[in-house]
Amino acid sequence: MVTATAERTTAIHWETRQFASSSATATRRVATASTVDDLLAEARATYDRISPRAAYQLLLHGRAVLVDIRPEAQRRAEGEVDPGLGPVVIERNVLEWRLDPRSGARLPWAAYDARILVLCQEGYASSLAAATLVRLGLARATDVVGGLRAWREAGLPLADQPAAA
């Protein structure tokens, strides 16, 4: 007959062997991307990106939410999308927790069918962020090609600056 103490001791020894042996690290996955450009290409292959003008049209008609992932200092220095379009600021370091519908820290509107347009300064960090959202099950997540820089170059409305004619 096996006692509860013997079962617990066996379990502890098994766990200890798993973490103490060098074979525990052998099960780690090997990264497939060899450069940051490869990583971006892999991320962008998981969804369709959207132009600043197409993003603007979706926002005008209330068919998407623009999520600005830039840090506060960058938003202050470079500007922000016109608040009339309803952009939501969710800095990159908390994005997944705020938008994963299963997360206890999610925003009330976070849902699998939400159309989320991720915006960064130039369209690089937003690509990685959008791919992560897609992996979380937010299949309609995407990012804005060129980020805020392309938004500005297209003459689209910024905070305290109307759209170019």
Side-chain angles (χ1 to χ4, degrees), residues 40-62:
L40 280 168
E42 286 177 14
R44 291 172 175 167
T46 64
Y47 64 91
D48 294 320
R49 302 181 79 203
I50 190 168
S51 73
R53 289 197 181 276
Y56 177 62
Q57 289 299 314
L58 288 173
L59 295 171
L60 274 178
H61 298 285

Side-chain angles (χ1 to χ4, degrees), residues 77-127:
E78 302 292 336
E80 296 184 69
V81 170
D82 181 352
L85 295 171
V88 177
V89 172
I90 305 175
E91 291 191 11
R92 180 65 189 96
N93 62 325
V94 296
L95 181 71
E96 292 85 353
W97 288 268
R98 298 296 183 258
L99 295 182
D100 180 354
R102 294 168 297 224
S103 169
R106 73 184 172 280
L107 293 171
W109 53 267
Y112 292 111
D113 63 345
R115 180 71 164 132
I116 297 169
L117 314 178
V118 184
L119 180 83
C120 69
Q121 188 60 32
E122 296 179 351
Y124 297 103
S126 59
S127 292

